[in-house]
Every structure is written in structure tokens, then in C-alpha cells.
Amino acid sequence: MESHKEKILVVDDEASIRRILETRLSMIGYDVVTAADGEEALDTFRKAQPDLVVLDVMMPKLDGYGVCQELRKESDVPIIMLTALGDVADRITGLELGADDYVVKPFSPKELEARIRSVLRRVDKTGVTGIPSSGVIHVGQLRIDTNKRQVYKGDERIRLTGMEFSLLELLVSRSGEAFSRSEILQEVWGYTPERHVDTRVVDVHISRLRAKLEDDPSNPELILTARGTGYLFQRIIEPGEE
């Protein structure tokens, strides 16, 4: 029986980029569909139901930010943004809207392929050391189910993207222990930061997690900032511990 091919939607208004990525990604075993503008991207996404979206920012009809916003209303699919914009703030905008990572144009196809593999691997990953054998962690009103990769606050399910969950899972697996931004980027995203700005990916995801999980995101009690280091999850007290 043929194994399931992971499907990738490539969205870019430059035909040459679509052709290059379709060829290269197909050669390494992905099923690839493409779209040339934002409106076509949404239509193709709903028909094809891809496992990951590679999304250019600057496009006609609807830009990548608009597409990302629309996708996040209906799906937690991994999104990697392609951006030619020089301003760091513009790159961060895509992350704040729900993208999982970004690659700056002009980019090496090999770099993008590595990012795709890393994101898909983390989204599918289960079983992190330091997690109880039951796979369920209770912290106050939060219930984190690492088997189903779901989070509940009281009776309400909190929707997290795959990368958001992987980040949360890493932090709670070693609760009370501070991680540097570089460590988090290596553990969750699978690459070493080459520039200081790369670690902003971590900051934005932490901010998104706090907005979803904390009672008061501006005064977090769960995901804490380790001054001069990075971040940590409050120490989880196991039953029987003092």
C-alpha cells in the first residue's frame, strides 16, 4: 500500500518560484499544489486540504497577511511565510497573525526544504521526556493532553497551532527550568539562529501562547520570562510534593 504523501500548497505570484518549488518539493516526496494569488490560495486550500502552506507576503488580490488571517480562522495548518521585506517588523507581522516560521527572499531552496521538514516533524511529534506516562498535565485550570495535542482551560478547548503546542510541550516537560531563546529555536524549530532577529520567532510564539493561556497576558503566571536568559514554565508541583 502506498504511504501517505504530505501535501504542500505553494503560494507565490512569481511563476518561476512556483515552478522551482513544485519541482524540488515533488522530487523529495511531497505532493505539491500551487496558487498565484491570495484568493486562489484560499480556494485551493479548501479544495486540497494541504498539510503545510508556503505563503508569499506580497501578492495581488489578497496579500499573504490576509491569507494567513483567513486560514487561522478555520485551520491550524502549519504556515511558512516567504518575505522579501527588509523591515524586521514586517516579518514579525506574519508570525503575530499565526504563521509558524518565515524565510527571507532571496532564499536557498535547501533552507526552505529544511524548514518544511522541521515544522512537519514537530507538528507530528509525540512523546517528550519529562511528560507523565498518562500524557496529561494539570496546571490550575489548564489541562494539557500531550497524546491528543490538545489544551483545555476549564471546559473550553484552546486552539493552538502545532508549533505553539510543541513550544508549550517543551516548556512544561522541564517546568521550572529556564530555556534560552536559542535553545527553544533549536528544540522546537530545528535550526540554530544565524542572526539575532531569528529568535524573535520564539518571542512572538511566547506572546501568542500567553494571549491564549494566561488570565492576564501582560502579567503572566504560567509562562515566565527568565531575565537575561529566555523563558520558563512555572514549576509544576506533582501530587505528594511539597
Side-chain angles (χ1 to χ4, degrees):
M1 188 169 65
E2 187 178 340
S3 60
H4 167 69
K5 273 189 175 184
E6 288 169 308
K7 185 180 295 183
I8 297 176
L9 169 59
V10 173
V11 187
D12 199 297
D13 62 334
E14 293 184 53
S16 59
I17 291 180
R18 293 198 306 276
R19 278 197 303 271
I20 290 168
L21 293 182
E22 183 173 16
T23 300
R24 289 190 64 114
L25 293 173
S26 297
M27 285 175 61
I28 58 175
Y30 295 110
D31 185 5
V32 183
V33 291
T34 65
D37 62 60
E39 290 181 2
E40 185 185 354
L42 293 175
D43 188 47
T44 304
F45 176 83
R46 288 162 185 148
K47 290 176 181 173
Q49 293 294 300
D51 298 292
L52 181 143
V53 179
V54 175
L55 180 60
D56 187 32
V57 171
M58 304 302 289
M59 292 186 300
K61 297 187 180 178
L62 183 65
D63 67 14
Y65 298 145
V67 174
C68 187
Q69 274 186 302
E70 288 302 309
L71 290 180
R72 280 292 169 257
K73 291 177 184 176
E74 59 192 75
S75 174
D76 300 325
V77 66
I79 298 171
I80 297 177
M81 304 286 284
L82 298 179
T83 172
L85 301 173
D87 190 339
V88 172
D90 288 330
R91 299 184 214 162
I92 300 306
T93 297
L95 296 171
E96 290 174 337
L97 292 173
D100 296 282
D101 204 354
Y102 66 81
V103 175
V104 180
K105 288 182 174 181
F107 61 89
S108 154
K110 281 190 175 179
E111 179 190 7
L112 179 60
E113 289 160 18
R115 298 287 181 93
I116 289 170
R117 281 194 298 270
S118 180
V119 170
L120 288 173
R121 184 171 63 245
R122 286 302 312 190
V123 167
D124 293 335
K125 192 177 187 302
T126 56
V128 173
T129 56
I131 302 294
S133 56
S134 67
V136 179
I137 300 163
H138 295 272
V139 188
Q141 291 188 4
L142 282 189
R143 177 163 55 90
I144 304 165
D145 187 331
T146 61
N147 295 321
K148 296 179 180 177
R149 294 178 67 82
Q150 294 178 355
V151 177
Y152 290 84
K153 190 172 185 179
D155 295 327
E156 178 192 1
R157 181 178 171 189
I158 307 299
R159 274 185 56 178
L160 300 184
T161 67
M163 296 303 275
E164 286 170 348
F165 189 91
S166 292
L167 172 55
L168 176 63
E169 187 177 35
L170 174 70
L171 295 176
V172 300
S173 72
R174 287 151 61 183
S175 68
E177 179 180 335
F179 290 87
S180 71
R181 291 169 176 82
S182 294
E183 285 176 313
I184 293 172
L185 201 63
Q186 287 175 289
E187 289 284 339
V188 178
W189 279 265
Y191 62 89
T192 304
E194 296 178 5
R195 302 166 298 275
H196 177 68
V197 69
D198 290 341
T199 58
R200 287 296 303 276
V201 174
V202 175
D203 295 332
V204 176
H205 274 73
I206 290 287
S207 178
R208 279 164 41 183
L209 272 180
R210 284 172 168 167
K212 292 180 179 183
L213 302 180
E214 300 277 3
D215 290 333
D216 179 5
S218 63
N219 186 27
E221 297 181 351
L222 299 172
I223 302 172
L224 309 175
T225 299
R227 300 256 174 241
T229 306
Y231 300 101
L232 73 155
F233 198 90
Q234 66 157 262
R235 183 164 178 261
I236 299 171
I237 307 297
E238 299 294 339
E241 283 189 321
E242 290 299 324

